[in-house]
């Protein structure tokens, strides 16, 4: 189970939103590229980036920052937020982004997912499933799609998707621990998925519990606020999970 440190970009700053509310933001850095270097030094091998401007409007204000981030690090990056066309994907592919996360477009135009898979392959296309009260949310979590996330996942898996990030919006930024039961249920229902947990990870203990309760079957877990606020030491947490894998 990888630990994916997260950087959410809004107006070229690293921020965190409370449960996806754009009016409830905390700014953590005006130079996100320096944070990336720190994550790399602490042992991260895959870093999760979300373009919040693009997630909400479909228009990115952060492309220069994303380019700077890629130039400053040698580890793999995955990027989500507002990637809604093949041209968007080709642009970020050209910047060297390893994994492209599709959210809103996968709900509204699933044919684009099929095209993306044929162009970039299963290991580079990730579906971001952002759920609240059982339903998929889109456009920066602001719109209820009316589609049950389990039905949506069946469609995506049927297309050939193997990588999914599942976010329980009610847990995001709350520092109350992840929704472990939901991940267990998803792993049972979709055993071939490479599943990444997102939302609620507030400590090394949360990561260890996720690993233990899922028997190490999660591909990874995303954490952001806990790192920024000093509640989770990234280097220590990576070391502990590495030791558990080696046993």
């Amino acid at each position: 189970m990888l630990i994916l440190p997260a950087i959410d970009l809004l107006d070229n700053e690293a921020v965190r939103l409370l449960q996806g509310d754009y009016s409830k933001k905390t700014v953590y850095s005006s130079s996100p590229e320096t944070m990336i270097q720190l994550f790399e030094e602490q042992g991260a091998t895959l870093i999760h980036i979300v373009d919040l401007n693009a997630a909400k409007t479909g228009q990115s204000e952060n492309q220069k920052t994303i380019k700077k981030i890629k130039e400053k690090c040698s580890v793999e990056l995955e990027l989500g937020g507002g990637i809604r066309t093949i041209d968007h994907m080709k642009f970020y592919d050209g910047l060297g982004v390893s994994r492209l996360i599709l959210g809103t477009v996968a709900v509204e135009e699933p044919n684009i997912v099929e095209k993306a898979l044929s162009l970039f392959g299963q290991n580079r296309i990730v579906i971001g499933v952002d759920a609240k009260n059982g339903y998929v949310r889109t456009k920066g979590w602001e719109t209820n799609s009316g589609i049950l996330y389990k039905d949506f996942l069946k469609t995506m898996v049927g297309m050939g998707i193997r990588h999914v990030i599942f976010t329980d919006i009610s847990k995001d930024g709350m520092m109350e621990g992840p929704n472990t039961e939901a991940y267990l249920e998803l792993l049972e229902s979709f055993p071939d998925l490479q599943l990444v947990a997102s939302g609620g990870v507030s400590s090394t203990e949360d990561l260890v519990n996720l690993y233990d309760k899922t028997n190490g079957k999660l591909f990874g877990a995303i954490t952001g606020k806990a790192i920024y606020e000093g509640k989770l030491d990234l280097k220590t947490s990576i070391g502990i999970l590495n030791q558990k894998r080696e046993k």
Side-chain angles (χ1 to χ4, degrees), residues 59 61 79 84-85 90 95 115 119 123 175 206 221 227 244:
Q59 300 297 318
E61 307 292 334
L79 174 69
R84 296 176 190 169
T85 68
K90 288 180 177 177
L95 291 186
K115 291 178 184 176
L119 279 171
N123 287 329
M175 307 286 281
D206 283 341
I227 296 173
K244 292 182 80 66

Side-chain angles (χ1 to χ4, degrees), residues 90-121:
K90 288 180 177 177
F91 174 80
Y92 290 120
D93 175 54
L95 291 186
V97 174
S98 299
R99 286 159 51 103
L100 303 163
I101 305 166
L102 309 183
T104 296
V105 71
V107 176
E108 296 183 348
E109 299 180 73
N111 63 303
I112 289 181
V113 176
E114 291 182 308
K115 291 178 184 176
L117 284 169
S118 67
L119 279 171
F120 302 104

Side-chain angles (χ1 to χ4, degrees), residues 11-211:
D11 301 329
N12 293 292
E13 296 180 314
V15 309
R16 291 295 286 169
L17 306 182
L18 186 63
Q19 294 187 326
D21 189 333
Y22 281 71
S23 69
K24 297 177 181 176
K25 73 170 183 178
T26 303
V27 177
Y28 287 106
S29 176
S30 58
S31 56
E33 63 273 13
T34 61
M35 298 170 67
I36 287 282
Q37 290 175 301
L38 182 61
F39 292 156
E40 185 173 357
E41 289 167 7
Q42 292 175 335
T45 56
L46 177 62
I47 295 171
H48 177 81
I49 300 172
V50 177
D51 184 334
L52 291 173
N53 293 93
K56 187 176 183 179
T57 67
Q59 300 297 318
S60 176
E61 307 292 334
N62 302 293
Q63 289 181 350
K64 288 183 180 178
T65 297
I66 293 165
K67 187 176 180 180
K68 279 185 190 176
I69 286 171
K70 183 57 193 167
E71 289 170 350
K72 292 285 186 180
C73 76
S74 58
V75 299
E76 291 192 341
L77 303 179
E78 64 175 27
L79 174 69
I83 301 177
R84 296 176 190 169
T85 68
I86 295 296
D87 284 344
H88 285 156
M89 295 177 221
K90 288 180 177 177
F91 174 80
Y92 290 120
D93 175 54
L95 291 186
V97 174
S98 299
R99 286 159 51 103
L100 303 163
I101 305 166
L102 309 183
T104 296
V105 71
V107 176
E108 296 183 348
E109 299 180 73
N111 63 303
I112 289 181
V113 176
E114 291 182 308
K115 291 178 184 176
L117 284 169
S118 67
L119 279 171
F120 302 104
Q122 281 184 329
N123 287 329
R124 296 192 60 204
I125 298 300
V126 184
I127 297 300
V129 181
D130 304 320
K132 192 169 186 178
N133 301 323
Y135 290 90
V136 178
R137 308 283 293 196
T138 59
K139 295 183 172 66
W141 301 356
E142 295 198 323
T143 302
N144 185 347
S145 69
I147 301 171
L148 290 167
Y149 69 77
K150 289 182 182 177
D151 292 340
F152 175 61
L153 276 171
K154 285 177 186 175
T155 300
M156 291 295 105
V157 169
M159 285 184 179
I161 285 294
R162 290 295 175 265
H163 290 271
V164 167
I165 297 169
F166 184 86
T167 303
D168 181 345
I169 294 171
S170 67
K171 296 288 188 180
D172 187 73
M174 299 303 290
M175 307 286 281
E176 295 175 350
N179 186 347
T180 306
E181 292 74 20
Y183 300 117
L184 284 169
E185 190 175 346
L186 287 170
L187 287 168
E188 185 175 344
S189 300
F190 304 98
D192 294 330
L193 277 186
Q194 298 291 306
L195 185 66
V196 174
S198 174
V201 172
S202 62
S203 64
T204 301
E205 184 181 7
D206 283 341
L207 289 167
V208 170
N209 285 339
L210 261 181
Y211 184 94

